[in-house]
Short mmCIF file of all heavy atoms in Angstrom, two decimals:
data_model
loop_
_atom_site.label_atom_id
_atom_site.label_comp_id
_atom_site.label_asym_id
_atom_site.label_seq_id
_atom_site.Cartn_x
_atom_site.Cartn_y
_atom_site.Cartn_z
N ASN D 596 187.95 75.94 115.63
CA ASN D 596 187.20 76.80 116.53
C ASN D 596 185.78 76.24 116.71
O ASN D 596 185.23 75.66 115.78
CB ASN D 596 187.13 78.21 115.99
CG ASN D 596 188.49 78.86 115.89
OD1 ASN D 596 189.33 78.67 116.75
ND2 ASN D 596 188.71 79.60 114.82
N LEU D 597 185.23 76.47 117.88
CA LEU D 597 183.88 76.03 118.18
C LEU D 597 183.11 77.21 118.75
O LEU D 597 183.59 77.90 119.63
CB LEU D 597 183.94 74.90 119.21
CG LEU D 597 182.61 74.41 119.77
CD1 LEU D 597 181.73 73.82 118.68
CD2 LEU D 597 182.85 73.39 120.85
N TYR D 598 181.90 77.42 118.19
CA TYR D 598 181.04 78.51 118.65
C TYR D 598 179.70 77.94 119.09
O TYR D 598 179.16 77.06 118.44
CB TYR D 598 180.80 79.52 117.50
CG TYR D 598 182.08 80.07 116.96
CD1 TYR D 598 182.72 79.47 115.86
CD2 TYR D 598 182.66 81.21 117.51
CE1 TYR D 598 183.92 79.98 115.36
CE2 TYR D 598 183.85 81.71 117.00
CZ TYR D 598 184.46 81.11 115.92
OH TYR D 598 185.64 81.60 115.44
N THR D 599 179.18 78.45 120.19
CA THR D 599 177.87 78.08 120.69
C THR D 599 176.94 79.27 120.40
O THR D 599 177.27 80.40 120.69
CB THR D 599 177.87 77.84 122.20
OG1 THR D 599 178.81 76.79 122.48
CG2 THR D 599 176.51 77.43 122.70
N VAL D 600 175.77 78.96 119.80
CA VAL D 600 174.84 80.01 119.40
C VAL D 600 173.47 79.71 119.95
O VAL D 600 173.01 78.55 119.91
CB VAL D 600 174.74 80.12 117.87
CG1 VAL D 600 173.72 81.14 117.43
CG2 VAL D 600 176.12 80.43 117.27
N GLN D 601 172.80 80.72 120.48
CA GLN D 601 171.41 80.60 120.88
C GLN D 601 170.60 81.60 120.06
O GLN D 601 170.95 82.77 120.03
CB GLN D 601 171.24 80.85 122.36
CG GLN D 601 171.88 79.77 123.22
CD GLN D 601 171.64 79.96 124.70
OE1 GLN D 601 171.18 81.00 125.14
NE2 GLN D 601 171.95 78.93 125.46
N LEU D 602 169.57 81.10 119.39
CA LEU D 602 168.70 81.96 118.59
C LEU D 602 167.29 81.92 119.16
O LEU D 602 166.81 80.87 119.56
CB LEU D 602 168.65 81.45 117.14
CG LEU D 602 169.80 81.79 116.20
CD1 LEU D 602 169.56 81.14 114.87
CD2 LEU D 602 169.93 83.28 116.04
N THR D 603 166.64 83.08 119.15
CA THR D 603 165.25 83.13 119.52
C THR D 603 164.40 82.80 118.29
O THR D 603 164.91 82.84 117.16
CB THR D 603 164.86 84.53 120.04
OG1 THR D 603 165.12 85.48 119.01
CG2 THR D 603 165.64 84.88 121.29
N GLU D 604 163.15 82.52 118.50
CA GLU D 604 162.24 82.33 117.36
C GLU D 604 162.22 83.61 116.52
O GLU D 604 162.09 84.70 117.08
CB GLU D 604 160.83 81.99 117.85
CG GLU D 604 159.89 81.63 116.73
CD GLU D 604 158.55 81.14 117.24
OE1 GLU D 604 158.37 80.99 118.46
OE2 GLU D 604 157.66 80.90 116.39
N ASN D 605 162.42 83.48 115.24
CA ASN D 605 162.52 84.60 114.27
C ASN D 605 163.79 85.43 114.42
O ASN D 605 163.93 86.43 113.73
CB ASN D 605 161.29 85.52 114.34
CG ASN D 605 160.02 84.79 113.97
OD1 ASN D 605 159.98 84.02 113.03
ND2 ASN D 605 158.97 84.96 114.76
N GLY D 606 164.67 85.04 115.33
CA GLY D 606 165.96 85.71 115.44
C GLY D 606 166.87 85.30 114.28
O GLY D 606 166.66 84.27 113.65
N SER D 607 167.86 86.12 113.98
CA SER D 607 168.75 85.80 112.88
C SER D 607 170.18 86.21 113.24
O SER D 607 170.39 87.06 114.13
CB SER D 607 168.32 86.47 111.59
OG SER D 607 168.38 87.88 111.72
N MET D 608 171.11 85.60 112.55
CA MET D 608 172.52 85.97 112.71
C MET D 608 173.28 85.53 111.45
O MET D 608 172.82 84.70 110.69
CB MET D 608 173.15 85.34 113.94
CG MET D 608 173.32 83.85 113.89
SD MET D 608 174.59 83.21 114.97
CE MET D 608 176.07 83.39 114.00
N THR D 609 174.44 86.13 111.24
CA THR D 609 175.30 85.81 110.11
C THR D 609 176.67 85.41 110.65
O THR D 609 177.19 86.00 111.60
CB THR D 609 175.44 87.04 109.19
OG1 THR D 609 174.16 87.41 108.70
CG2 THR D 609 176.34 86.74 108.01
N PHE D 610 177.24 84.38 110.04
CA PHE D 610 178.57 83.89 110.40
C PHE D 610 179.41 83.90 109.14
O PHE D 610 179.08 83.25 108.15
CB PHE D 610 178.47 82.48 110.95
CG PHE D 610 179.79 81.89 111.43
CD1 PHE D 610 180.27 82.19 112.68
CD2 PHE D 610 180.49 81.05 110.59
CE1 PHE D 610 181.49 81.65 113.10
CE2 PHE D 610 181.70 80.50 111.03
CZ PHE D 610 182.21 80.82 112.28
N ASP D 611 180.50 84.67 109.16
CA ASP D 611 181.40 84.76 108.00
C ASP D 611 182.38 83.58 108.04
O ASP D 611 183.00 83.30 109.07
CB ASP D 611 182.18 86.06 107.98
CG ASP D 611 181.26 87.25 107.71
OD1 ASP D 611 180.34 87.10 106.88
OD2 ASP D 611 181.49 88.32 108.29
N LEU D 612 182.50 82.91 106.91
CA LEU D 612 183.39 81.76 106.78
C LEU D 612 184.52 82.12 105.82
O LEU D 612 184.26 82.28 104.61
CB LEU D 612 182.59 80.56 106.30
CG LEU D 612 183.12 79.16 106.48
CD1 LEU D 612 183.38 78.87 107.96
CD2 LEU D 612 182.15 78.16 105.94
N PRO D 613 185.75 82.28 106.31
CA PRO D 613 186.85 82.67 105.42
C PRO D 613 187.07 81.65 104.30
O PRO D 613 186.78 80.46 104.44
CB PRO D 613 188.06 82.70 106.35
CG PRO D 613 187.48 82.89 107.72
CD PRO D 613 186.18 82.16 107.69
N GLU D 614 187.62 82.14 103.18
CA GLU D 614 187.88 81.30 102.03
C GLU D 614 188.74 80.10 102.44
O GLU D 614 189.70 80.25 103.20
CB GLU D 614 188.60 82.11 100.96
CG GLU D 614 188.78 81.35 99.66
CD GLU D 614 189.37 82.21 98.55
OE1 GLU D 614 189.30 83.45 98.64
OE2 GLU D 614 189.88 81.61 97.60
N GLY D 615 188.37 78.94 101.93
CA GLY D 615 189.12 77.73 102.22
C GLY D 615 188.74 77.03 103.50
O GLY D 615 189.26 75.95 103.83
N ARG D 616 187.83 77.62 104.27
CA ARG D 616 187.39 77.02 105.52
C ARG D 616 186.10 76.22 105.28
O ARG D 616 185.37 76.47 104.33
CB ARG D 616 187.14 78.08 106.60
CG ARG D 616 188.31 78.97 106.90
CD ARG D 616 189.40 78.29 107.63
NE ARG D 616 188.95 77.96 108.99
CZ ARG D 616 189.76 77.37 109.86
NH1 ARG D 616 190.99 77.07 109.56
NH2 ARG D 616 189.33 77.08 111.06
N HIS D 617 185.85 75.28 106.17
CA HIS D 617 184.64 74.46 106.12
C HIS D 617 183.96 74.60 107.49
O HIS D 617 184.56 75.07 108.45
CB HIS D 617 184.98 73.00 105.83
CG HIS D 617 185.87 72.84 104.63
ND1 HIS D 617 185.36 72.85 103.36
CD2 HIS D 617 187.20 72.69 104.52
CE1 HIS D 617 186.35 72.68 102.50
NE2 HIS D 617 187.49 72.61 103.19
N SER D 618 182.74 74.11 107.55
CA SER D 618 182.01 74.20 108.81
C SER D 618 181.11 73.00 108.99
O SER D 618 180.64 72.40 108.00
CB SER D 618 181.19 75.48 108.81
OG SER D 618 180.55 75.64 110.05
N TRP D 619 180.90 72.64 110.23
CA TRP D 619 179.90 71.64 110.60
C TRP D 619 178.95 72.33 111.55
O TRP D 619 179.39 72.95 112.54
CB TRP D 619 180.52 70.42 111.28
CG TRP D 619 179.49 69.44 111.73
CD1 TRP D 619 178.93 69.30 112.98
CD2 TRP D 619 178.87 68.43 110.92
NE1 TRP D 619 178.00 68.31 112.98
CE2 TRP D 619 177.94 67.74 111.72
CE3 TRP D 619 178.99 68.07 109.58
CZ2 TRP D 619 177.16 66.71 111.25
CZ3 TRP D 619 178.20 67.04 109.12
CH2 TRP D 619 177.31 66.35 109.94
N ILE D 620 177.67 72.27 111.25
CA ILE D 620 176.64 72.84 112.12
C ILE D 620 175.90 71.70 112.80
O ILE D 620 175.43 70.79 112.15
CB ILE D 620 175.60 73.66 111.30
CG1 ILE D 620 176.28 74.62 110.33
CG2 ILE D 620 174.61 74.36 112.21
CD1 ILE D 620 177.17 75.62 110.95
N GLN D 621 175.84 71.73 114.13
CA GLN D 621 175.10 70.73 114.88
C GLN D 621 174.00 71.43 115.67
O GLN D 621 174.27 72.28 116.52
CB GLN D 621 176.04 69.99 115.85
CG GLN D 621 175.37 68.85 116.58
CD GLN D 621 174.98 67.73 115.63
OE1 GLN D 621 175.79 67.25 114.84
NE2 GLN D 621 173.73 67.32 115.68
N LEU D 622 172.75 71.10 115.33
CA LEU D 622 171.63 71.70 116.04
C LEU D 622 171.36 70.87 117.29
O LEU D 622 171.04 69.68 117.20
CB LEU D 622 170.41 71.74 115.12
CG LEU D 622 169.19 72.49 115.66
CD1 LEU D 622 169.55 73.96 116.00
CD2 LEU D 622 168.03 72.45 114.69
N VAL D 623 171.50 71.48 118.44
CA VAL D 623 171.30 70.81 119.71
C VAL D 623 169.79 70.67 120.00
O VAL D 623 169.33 69.60 120.35
CB VAL D 623 172.00 71.56 120.87
CG1 VAL D 623 171.73 70.91 122.20
CG2 VAL D 623 173.51 71.66 120.58
N ASN D 624 169.06 71.76 119.82
CA ASN D 624 167.61 71.71 119.98
C ASN D 624 166.97 72.86 119.24
O ASN D 624 167.64 73.83 118.89
CB ASN D 624 167.19 71.71 121.47
CG ASN D 624 167.68 72.93 122.21
OD1 ASN D 624 167.45 74.04 121.77
ND2 ASN D 624 168.36 72.72 123.31
N GLY D 625 165.68 72.73 118.95
CA GLY D 625 164.94 73.78 118.24
C GLY D 625 164.85 73.50 116.74
O GLY D 625 164.94 72.35 116.30
N ALA D 626 164.69 74.57 115.97
CA ALA D 626 164.60 74.48 114.52
C ALA D 626 165.16 75.78 113.94
O ALA D 626 164.82 76.86 114.39
CB ALA D 626 163.15 74.27 114.07
N VAL D 627 166.01 75.63 112.94
CA VAL D 627 166.62 76.78 112.26
C VAL D 627 166.67 76.55 110.76
O VAL D 627 166.52 75.43 110.29
CB VAL D 627 168.06 77.10 112.77
CG1 VAL D 627 168.11 77.41 114.23
CG2 VAL D 627 169.01 75.96 112.44
N GLU D 628 166.86 77.64 110.05
CA GLU D 628 167.14 77.59 108.61
C GLU D 628 168.54 78.15 108.42
O GLU D 628 168.86 79.21 108.94
CB GLU D 628 166.11 78.42 107.85
CG GLU D 628 166.31 78.42 106.36
CD GLU D 628 165.28 79.28 105.66
OE1 GLU D 628 164.09 79.12 105.92
OE2 GLU D 628 165.71 80.14 104.85
N VAL D 629 169.38 77.40 107.69
CA VAL D 629 170.76 77.84 107.41
C VAL D 629 170.93 77.90 105.91
O VAL D 629 170.87 76.86 105.23
CB VAL D 629 171.80 76.87 107.99
CG1 VAL D 629 173.21 77.38 107.77
CG2 VAL D 629 171.55 76.63 109.47
N ASN D 630 171.12 79.10 105.37
CA ASN D 630 171.26 79.29 103.92
C ASN D 630 170.18 78.53 103.15
O ASN D 630 170.46 77.88 102.14
CB ASN D 630 172.65 78.89 103.46
CG ASN D 630 173.73 79.84 103.92
OD1 ASN D 630 173.51 80.66 104.77
ND2 ASN D 630 174.89 79.73 103.34
N GLY D 631 168.96 78.59 103.65
CA GLY D 631 167.83 77.98 102.96
C GLY D 631 167.58 76.52 103.30
O GLY D 631 166.63 75.91 102.83
N VAL D 632 168.45 75.91 104.12
CA VAL D 632 168.30 74.50 104.51
C VAL D 632 167.64 74.43 105.89
O VAL D 632 168.13 75.04 106.84
CB VAL D 632 169.67 73.79 104.56
CG1 VAL D 632 169.53 72.35 105.04
CG2 VAL D 632 170.34 73.83 103.19
N GLU D 633 166.51 73.72 105.97
CA GLU D 633 165.79 73.56 107.24
C GLU D 633 166.48 72.51 108.11
O GLU D 633 166.81 71.43 107.63
CB GLU D 633 164.35 73.15 106.97
CG GLU D 633 163.53 74.17 106.21
CD GLU D 633 163.02 75.31 107.06
OE1 GLU D 633 162.90 75.13 108.30
OE2 GLU D 633 162.71 76.35 106.49
N MET D 634 166.67 72.82 109.38
CA MET D 634 167.25 71.87 110.33
C MET D 634 166.33 71.76 111.56
O MET D 634 165.75 72.78 111.97
CB MET D 634 168.63 72.34 110.79
CG MET D 634 169.65 72.42 109.69
SD MET D 634 171.27 73.02 110.33
CE MET D 634 171.77 71.61 111.30
N THR D 635 166.22 70.56 112.12
CA THR D 635 165.49 70.35 113.36
C THR D 635 166.40 69.66 114.38
O THR D 635 167.49 69.21 114.02
CB THR D 635 164.21 69.53 113.13
OG1 THR D 635 164.56 68.28 112.54
CG2 THR D 635 163.21 70.25 112.22
N SER D 636 165.95 69.56 115.60
CA SER D 636 166.78 69.04 116.71
C SER D 636 167.60 67.81 116.30
O SER D 636 167.07 66.91 115.66
CB SER D 636 165.88 68.67 117.89
OG SER D 636 165.37 69.84 118.48
N ALA D 637 168.86 67.84 116.64
CA ALA D 637 169.83 66.76 116.44
C ALA D 637 170.33 66.66 115.02
O ALA D 637 171.18 65.83 114.72
CB ALA D 637 169.30 65.42 116.90
N ASP D 638 169.88 67.52 114.09
CA ASP D 638 170.40 67.50 112.72
C ASP D 638 171.80 68.07 112.67
O ASP D 638 172.16 68.94 113.47
CB ASP D 638 169.54 68.37 111.78
CG ASP D 638 168.25 67.69 111.36
OD1 ASP D 638 168.07 66.50 111.65
OD2 ASP D 638 167.42 68.39 110.74
N GLY D 639 172.59 67.58 111.71
CA GLY D 639 173.93 68.12 111.43
C GLY D 639 173.98 68.54 109.99
O GLY D 639 173.26 68.00 109.14
N LEU D 640 174.85 69.49 109.68
CA LEU D 640 174.98 70.01 108.33
C LEU D 640 176.45 70.32 108.03
O LEU D 640 177.07 71.10 108.75
CB LEU D 640 174.14 71.27 108.17
CG LEU D 640 174.16 72.00 106.82
CD1 LEU D 640 173.54 71.13 105.74
CD2 LEU D 640 173.44 73.34 106.92
N ALA D 641 177.01 69.67 106.98
CA ALA D 641 178.34 69.97 106.52
C ALA D 641 178.29 71.11 105.52
O ALA D 641 177.43 71.11 104.65
CB ALA D 641 178.96 68.73 105.87
N VAL D 642 179.19 72.09 105.66
CA VAL D 642 179.20 73.25 104.80
C VAL D 642 180.58 73.47 104.20
O VAL D 642 181.59 73.50 104.94
CB VAL D 642 178.79 74.52 105.58
CG1 VAL D 642 178.82 75.75 104.69
CG2 VAL D 642 177.43 74.36 106.24
N SER D 643 180.65 73.59 102.88
CA SER D 643 181.88 73.92 102.15
C SER D 643 181.53 74.89 101.04
O SER D 643 180.37 74.95 100.60
CB SER D 643 182.50 72.66 101.54
OG SER D 643 182.94 71.79 102.54
N ASN D 644 182.51 75.64 100.57
CA ASN D 644 182.34 76.57 99.45
C ASN D 644 181.29 77.64 99.70
O ASN D 644 180.54 78.02 98.79
CB ASN D 644 182.03 75.79 98.16
CG ASN D 644 183.11 74.81 97.83
OD1 ASN D 644 184.28 75.13 97.91
ND2 ASN D 644 182.72 73.61 97.44
N GLU D 645 181.17 78.08 100.94
CA GLU D 645 180.26 79.19 101.30
C GLU D 645 181.10 80.24 102.01
O GLU D 645 181.99 79.91 102.80
CB GLU D 645 179.15 78.72 102.25
CG GLU D 645 178.18 77.72 101.66
CD GLU D 645 177.17 78.34 100.72
OE1 GLU D 645 177.08 79.58 100.65
OE2 GLU D 645 176.46 77.57 100.06
N SER D 646 180.83 81.50 101.74
CA SER D 646 181.57 82.57 102.42
C SER D 646 180.80 83.11 103.62
O SER D 646 181.36 83.79 104.46
CB SER D 646 181.86 83.70 101.43
OG SER D 646 180.66 84.24 100.92
N GLN D 647 179.51 82.80 103.66
CA GLN D 647 178.69 83.33 104.75
C GLN D 647 177.56 82.34 105.07
O GLN D 647 176.97 81.77 104.17
CB GLN D 647 178.10 84.67 104.32
CG GLN D 647 177.47 85.47 105.43
CD GLN D 647 177.07 86.85 104.93
OE1 GLN D 647 176.16 86.99 104.15
NE2 GLN D 647 177.79 87.87 105.37
N LEU D 648 177.28 82.18 106.35
CA LEU D 648 176.18 81.36 106.79
C LEU D 648 175.12 82.27 107.41
O LEU D 648 175.43 83.09 108.29
CB LEU D 648 176.65 80.34 107.84
CG LEU D 648 177.77 79.40 107.39
CD1 LEU D 648 178.22 78.53 108.55
CD2 LEU D 648 177.30 78.56 106.22
N ASN D 649 173.92 82.16 106.94
CA ASN D 649 172.80 82.97 107.42
C ASN D 649 171.82 82.07 108.17
O ASN D 649 171.26 81.13 107.60
CB ASN D 649 172.08 83.67 106.25
CG ASN D 649 173.03 84.59 105.51
OD1 ASN D 649 173.54 85.54 106.08
ND2 ASN D 649 173.29 84.30 104.25
N PHE D 650 171.63 82.37 109.45
CA PHE D 650 170.80 81.56 110.33
C PHE D 650 169.51 82.32 110.64
O PHE D 650 169.56 83.51 110.95
CB PHE D 650 171.51 81.31 111.66
CG PHE D 650 172.75 80.47 111.52
CD1 PHE D 650 173.97 81.05 111.22
CD2 PHE D 650 172.71 79.11 111.70
CE1 PHE D 650 175.13 80.31 111.11
CE2 PHE D 650 173.85 78.33 111.57
CZ PHE D 650 175.06 78.92 111.29
N ILE D 651 168.40 81.61 110.60
CA ILE D 651 167.10 82.14 111.03
C ILE D 651 166.49 81.15 111.99
O ILE D 651 166.35 79.96 111.65
CB ILE D 651 166.15 82.37 109.82
CG1 ILE D 651 166.76 83.35 108.82
CG2 ILE D 651 164.78 82.86 110.30
CD1 ILE D 651 165.99 83.46 107.51
N GLY D 652 166.11 81.61 113.16
CA GLY D 652 165.49 80.73 114.17
C GLY D 652 164.02 80.52 113.82
O GLY D 652 163.24 81.46 113.79
N LYS D 653 163.65 79.28 113.59
CA LYS D 653 162.25 78.91 113.38
C LYS D 653 161.56 78.63 114.70
O LYS D 653 160.35 78.70 114.80
CB LYS D 653 162.15 77.70 112.45
CG LYS D 653 162.73 77.93 111.07
CD LYS D 653 162.02 79.04 110.36
CE LYS D 653 162.54 79.25 108.94
NZ LYS D 653 161.80 80.28 108.23
N GLN D 654 162.38 78.30 115.70
CA GLN D 654 161.99 78.15 117.09
C GLN D 654 163.17 78.65 117.92
O GLN D 654 164.26 78.84 117.38
CB GLN D 654 161.74 76.67 117.45
CG GLN D 654 160.68 75.97 116.68
CD GLN D 654 160.61 74.48 117.04
OE1 GLN D 654 161.44 73.97 117.80
NE2 GLN D 654 159.69 73.77 116.46
N SER D 655 162.99 78.79 119.22
CA SER D 655 164.14 79.06 120.08
C SER D 655 165.08 77.88 119.92
O SER D 655 164.64 76.72 120.01
CB SER D 655 163.70 79.20 121.54
OG SER D 655 162.96 80.41 121.67
N SER D 656 166.34 78.14 119.65
CA SER D 656 167.27 77.07 119.27
C SER D 656 168.65 77.29 119.87
O SER D 656 169.08 78.39 120.10
CB SER D 656 167.42 77.02 117.74
OG SER D 656 166.16 76.84 117.11
N GLU D 657 169.35 76.16 120.03
CA GLU D 657 170.76 76.18 120.42
C GLU D 657 171.52 75.33 119.41
O GLU D 657 171.11 74.24 119.07
CB GLU D 657 170.94 75.61 121.83
CG GLU D 657 172.36 75.67 122.30
CD GLU D 657 172.52 75.18 123.73
OE1 GLU D 657 171.55 74.73 124.35
OE2 GLU D 657 173.64 75.28 124.24
N LEU D 658 172.63 75.87 118.92
CA LEU D 658 173.42 75.14 117.95
C LEU D 658 174.89 75.35 118.16
O LEU D 658 175.31 76.28 118.85
CB LEU D 658 173.04 75.54 116.52
CG LEU D 658 173.13 77.02 116.18
CD1 LEU D 658 174.20 77.24 115.14
CD2 LEU D 658 171.80 77.51 115.67
N LEU D 659 175.69 74.46 117.58
CA LEU D 659 177.13 74.52 117.62
C LEU D 659 177.64 74.74 116.20
O LEU D 659 177.15 74.10 115.26
CB LEU D 659 177.73 73.26 118.17
CG LEU D 659 177.28 72.85 119.57
CD1 LEU D 659 177.83 71.46 119.92
CD2 LEU D 659 177.71 73.87 120.62
N ILE D 660 178.60 75.65 116.04
CA ILE D 660 179.26 75.85 114.76
C ILE D 660 180.72 75.44 114.92
O ILE D 660 181.46 76.04 115.73
CB ILE D 660 179.19 77.32 114.31
CG1 ILE D 660 177.76 77.81 114.23
CG2 ILE D 660 179.92 77.50 112.98
CD1 ILE D 660 177.64 79.30 113.97
N PHE D 661 181.14 74.43 114.18
CA PHE D 661 182.52 73.99 114.16
C PHE D 661 183.16 74.63 112.93
O PHE D 661 182.75 74.35 111.81
CB PHE D 661 182.62 72.46 114.05
CG PHE D 661 182.07 71.74 115.26
CD1 PHE D 661 180.70 71.48 115.35
CD2 PHE D 661 182.91 71.32 116.28
CE1 PHE D 661 180.19 70.81 116.46
CE2 PHE D 661 182.39 70.64 117.38
CZ PHE D 661 181.04 70.39 117.46
N ASP D 662 184.18 75.46 113.12
CA ASP D 662 184.93 76.12 112.06
C ASP D 662 186.15 75.25 111.80
O ASP D 662 187.03 75.12 112.63
CB ASP D 662 185.32 77.54 112.48
CG ASP D 662 186.11 78.29 111.45
OD1 ASP D 662 186.18 77.83 110.31
OD2 ASP D 662 186.64 79.35 111.81
N LEU D 663 186.18 74.62 110.61
CA LEU D 663 187.20 73.59 110.31
C LEU D 663 188.11 74.02 109.20
O LEU D 663 187.75 74.78 108.32
CB LEU D 663 186.48 72.30 109.89
CG LEU D 663 185.38 71.79 110.85
CD1 LEU D 663 184.59 70.68 110.19
CD2 LEU D 663 186.00 71.34 112.14
N ASP D 664 189.35 73.46 109.19
CA ASP D 664 190.29 73.68 108.07
C ASP D 664 189.78 73.07 106.80
O ASP D 664 189.07 72.14 106.74
CB ASP D 664 191.64 73.05 108.39
CG ASP D 664 192.39 73.84 109.44
OD1 ASP D 664 192.13 75.04 109.62
OD2 ASP D 664 193.26 73.25 110.11
#
């Protein structure tokens, strides 16, 4: 599955990741914090062994969430 997300500056959202699933986060533009990890434009982040992803917009941002097996 692929999700497109737009966050405003200081906006936040939560993404639940079912057990056994993995995720790839690709930041298209802006700056966000994901579970305490700072990301800036064009950064990617591999995620495993997490049940929830917490996003905070540090700037207006657009990102992609790839929900993987």
Side-chain angles (χ1 to χ4, degrees):
N596 296 322
L597 173 63
Y598 303 92
T599 302
V600 176
Q601 293 184 348
L602 281 176
T603 59
E604 186 173 356
N605 297 317
S607 64
M608 69 156 275
T609 300
F610 182 83
D611 291 323
L612 199 57
E614 187 175 340
R616 303 288 292 181
H617 309 279
S618 184
W619 177 264
I620 312 301
Q621 185 67 51
L622 187 58
V623 177
N624 59 52
V627 299
E628 180 181 309
V629 183
N630 289 14
V632 176
E633 297 280 338
M634 298 179 69
T635 57
S636 291
D638 282 351
L640 178 66
V642 179
S643 294
N644 302 317
E645 295 284 350
S646 60
Q647 193 173 69
L648 302 175
N649 299 298
F650 295 86
I651 300 171
K653 299 299 183 176
Q654 299 174 358
S655 291
S656 303
E657 183 176 5
L658 56 114
L659 302 173
I660 303 173
F661 295 84
D662 179 11
L663 309 169
D664 287 337

